[in-house]
Amino acid sequence: MTAVSHVLSDEWLVDYAAGTAPEPVAAFVAAHLALSAPARKAYACLEALGGNLLDAIEPAAMSPGALESVLARLDHPAPRPAGAPVADASMPAALRRYLPRGMGSLAWRKLARGLHAARLIRDDPSGYRLSLLRLDPGCAVPRHTHRGEELVMVLEGGYHDERGHYGPGDVEIADPSVEHQPIADPGPVCVGLILWQAPVRLTRFPGRLLNPFLR
Ligand code: ZN
């Protein structure tokens, strides 16, 4: 098994920092930064690097200790609202605007046994779509490959597939070269955020019958 990074690469973070990421991508990256300490560290290093580049142009544009202050700023995750259901409570602030009345208020669609999805952002001009996934404990996503890039981040719970195990804040990027079957951990329901441009392609009968409905 090849080790796969669970943190978004610098390209995604740079686009987000520059404000050039389309809305679904920006929401995904912001949620990743809220939940993943390694991602926050990578982002802080990029910010410091950006400051140093500015230094080369404008002397003293960045004060000493700037990296520490950026790290300190990023190290305070949003507090859990009291009394909220667990999945709602672990929802990063960057996503709450898309579900102001909580997970239960979304239009969930059943895709397979134990697997439900609800759209958060549709019809963005970039072509990117953002949805939430709910996978019941021990249930599997039907085996599939991809027509384009698929980014999945765990918000709560966890899952594993042929490439590794993913917990809260971890991102898995899959593309047409990857065929996999994610299986949820026992324990709490696995809640994930999915960003994609093209629908998946199911590779095993009878899952293939569902393909026309996944567009
Ligand atoms: Zn996939």
Side-chain angles (χ1 to χ4, degrees):
M1 188 187 295
T2 322
V4 180
S5 171
H6 294 180
V7 175
L8 280 178
S9 62
D10 288 353
E11 292 87 343
W12 295 93
L13 303 181
V14 166
D15 280 353
Y16 173 75
T20 53
E23 184 184 350
V25 176
F28 190 95
V29 176
H32 184 44
L33 290 173
L35 292 179
S36 167
R40 286 198 293 277
K41 197 166 178 189
Y43 189 74
C45 289
L46 283 174
E47 283 205 320
L49 182 64
N52 286 338
L53 289 175
L54 283 177
D55 268 351
I57 304 164
E58 297 171 53
M62 196 177 186
S63 58
L67 174 60
E68 287 74 12
S69 74
V70 168
L71 281 170
R73 193 152 43 83
L74 288 166
D75 254 344
H76 295 292
R80 249 169 200 255
V86 179
D88 281 332
S90 62
M91 199 62 65
L95 300 179
R96 289 207 189 118
R97 55 184 293 212
Y98 301 109
L99 55 162
R101 293 190 303 283
M103 297 247 302
S105 69
L106 295 173
W108 290 95
R109 266 198 323 152
K110 184 174 180 179
L111 298 182
R113 190 177 71 85
L115 174 64
H116 292 80
R119 199 66 70 86
L120 293 185
I121 303 178
R122 61 169 81 230
D123 301 329
D124 189 78
S126 67
Y128 279 106
R129 299 155 207 194
L130 191 69
S131 290
L132 285 177
L133 292 176
R134 253 181 29 212
L135 187 59
D136 290 346
C139 286
V141 175
R143 177 168 290 280
H144 62 276
T145 182
H146 313 82
R147 294 185 170 93
E149 230 171 11
E150 171 196 89
L151 282 74
V152 173
M153 176 171 57
V154 174
L155 300 178
E156 191 167 278
Y159 73 88
H160 71 273
D161 66 7
E162 296 81 347
R163 302 200 298 166
H165 180 267
Y166 300 83
D170 291 341
V171 172
E172 179 176 23
I173 300 187
D175 62 22
S177 72
V178 174
E179 179 177 324
H180 65 163
Q181 181 175 40
I183 298 171
D185 291 351
V189 171
C190 179
V191 180
L193 184 67
I194 178 167
L195 176 74
W196 82 106
Q197 282 185 300
V200 301
R201 189 164 63 81
L202 299 176
T203 47
R204 288 243 172 109
F205 186 84
R208 282 204 303 268
L209 295 174
L210 285 170
N211 278 331
F213 302 100
L214 296 177
R215 291 174 189 284

